[in-house]
Amino acid sequence: MVQRPVGTITRGTTNPNRLRRVDRWLAGPQAWRLRRAVDPPVVVDLGYGASPVTAVELHDRLRVVRADVEVVGVEIDPARVALGRSLAREGLAFRLGGFEVPLDDGRRATVVRAFNVLRQYDESQVGPAWDTVRERLTDDGLLVDGTCDELGRRSTWVAVDRTGPVSLTLSWRLRGLDAPSDIAERLPKALIHRNVPGEPVHAWLGALDRAWAHSAHHASFGVRQRFLATATTLRDDGWPLLDGPSRWRLGELTVAWDAVAPGGQRA
C-alpha cells in the first residue's frame, strides 16, 4: 500500500540563490554532521516548490563538504516532482512525499531543510510536523525549519534535532540595515505570532534593537563593525549566543532555543 504524503501543497514560489544564507550555515558550522556520517549522508530539500533550483544549489554547495552527499528534493505536488526529475543526476534525486520524508531502504536523513513551507500552515500544525520529521533523522540529524524574504536578504530558521528544537538563527543583509527587529516579519511559524509583549522572542528582538542603537558609534568603521559590537553587547548582557565573530561578520546570530521559546518570560 502506497503511503499518502503528509502535508498540503503550498504556493511554492522561489528564486535562485534565495536560500544561500541557510546553505552557508549548513556548509559551515553544521558541516560536521555530514562529515561524521559513515555512509554517504542524505540531505532532503523538503517542499522545494515550483522550481527545483534550491535543491540543485543545495547539492552543489554541500558537495564541497562531502563529495558523496546525496540530496533528495521532496515535493507533495507530482508536477513539481516531474520537473525536478528532469534535472536529476548522480547525488541528486527527486521524489513525491511530504513530512514523512520518504527515502529508499529505510534510510534516514542527516539534514532536512524545510524553508517557507510551515509558514503557510497553522501554528498548531508546526509541532506535529516537527515530530514527524524528527523520527526520520539520523542520530546526528537536523531539521531546519525556516523562512526568508523573496531575495534571501533576511532569513530565519529553527534548528530541530532528535530531541527537539535547539536554536534560532537570524541572518540579515547588513548593508542598509535599519533596525534588526525588522526581521520579525520573517520569523518561522513557531514564533511569528509570538512577537508580543511577555513572549521571549519579543524580548530578544527588543534587546537586538537596543544593542544596535547602543553600538551606533561603531558605524563610522562600517556596518559590519557595528554588528559585531551589537552581538558582543548581547553576549555580555547574558543572551546565550551559540556562535561567534566568524558568523557575526556574515550578519548572522544564533541563540539558544530556550531563550526564545514560546510560553512565558525569559529566565
Side-chain angles (χ1 to χ4, degrees):
M1 181 177 179
V2 178
Q3 182 180 8
R4 180 181 177 183
V6 179
T8 58
I9 296 176
T10 56
R11 290 190 300 274
T13 55
T14 191
N15 285 303
N17 216 27
R18 187 182 185 187
L19 303 186
R20 62 190 179 279
R21 293 183 178 275
V22 66
D23 288 355
R24 182 174 61 189
W25 184 74
L26 291 172
Q30 301 303 313
W32 65 270
R33 300 179 188 275
L34 303 179
R35 296 191 180 107
R36 178 177 290 185
V38 176
D39 298 319
V42 179
V43 176
V44 173
D45 188 6
L46 181 60
Y48 55 83
S51 168
V53 64
T54 58
V56 175
E57 291 173 342
L58 181 63
H59 177 253
D60 292 344
R61 289 163 178 160
L62 295 187
R63 284 188 67 191
V64 177
V65 178
R66 272 197 62 156
D68 61 350
V69 67
E70 298 178 17
V71 172
V72 180
V74 174
E75 248 295 341
I76 202 168
D77 183 347
R80 296 173 183 174
V81 176
L83 180 61
R85 284 174 174 163
S86 66
L87 298 176
R89 57 177 185 264
E90 183 179 358
L92 177 62
F94 297 86
R95 64 184 309 161
L96 184 69
F99 294 113
E100 79 284 0
V101 191
L103 296 173
D104 293 331
D105 302 323
R107 299 182 68 188
R108 294 180 179 272
T110 300
V111 175
V112 175
R113 186 191 67 182
F115 248 68
N116 302 304
V117 177
L118 283 169
R119 180 178 177 84
Q120 301 177 57
Y121 283 68
D122 187 81
E123 184 181 353
S124 65
Q125 298 174 285
V126 173
W130 284 359
D131 291 343
T132 300
V133 176
R134 285 194 301 120
E135 294 176 357
R136 273 67 176 177
L137 296 174
T138 62
D139 290 342
D140 291 329
L142 197 69
L143 161 64
V144 185
D145 171 17
T147 304
C148 64
D149 64 15
E150 288 73 14
L151 297 178
R153 294 178 176 179
R154 295 176 183 173
S155 187
T156 74
W157 56 89
V158 178
V160 184
D161 67 13
R162 294 270 294 181
T163 67
V166 295
S167 64
L168 169 70
T169 300
L170 308 180
S171 182
W172 299 260
R173 178 178 181 263
L174 293 180
R175 188 170 61 185
L177 179 61
D178 183 17
S181 64
D182 289 345
I183 205 170
E185 65 183 15
R186 297 296 172 177
L187 285 172
K189 192 67 176 189
L191 294 173
I192 193 166
H193 300 303
R194 302 289 182 154
N195 184 26
V196 295
E199 286 284 350
V201 71
H202 184 268
W204 167 234
L205 294 174
L208 271 167
D209 279 353
R210 288 191 297 275
W212 178 251
H214 180 74
S215 303
H217 60 287
H218 290 273
S220 59
F221 301 103
V223 66
R224 181 172 287 111
Q225 292 304 312
R226 183 178 181 182
F227 193 80
L228 284 166
T230 297
T232 300
T233 296
L234 291 164
R235 182 190 60 193
D236 292 346
D237 285 346
W239 287 93
L241 301 186
L242 303 182
D243 50 14
S246 64
R247 306 307 299 180
W248 301 345
R249 291 179 182 278
L250 302 174
E252 182 181 296
L253 283 176
T254 297
V255 65
W257 178 253
D258 288 348
V260 295
Q265 298 287 344
R266 173 175 176 254

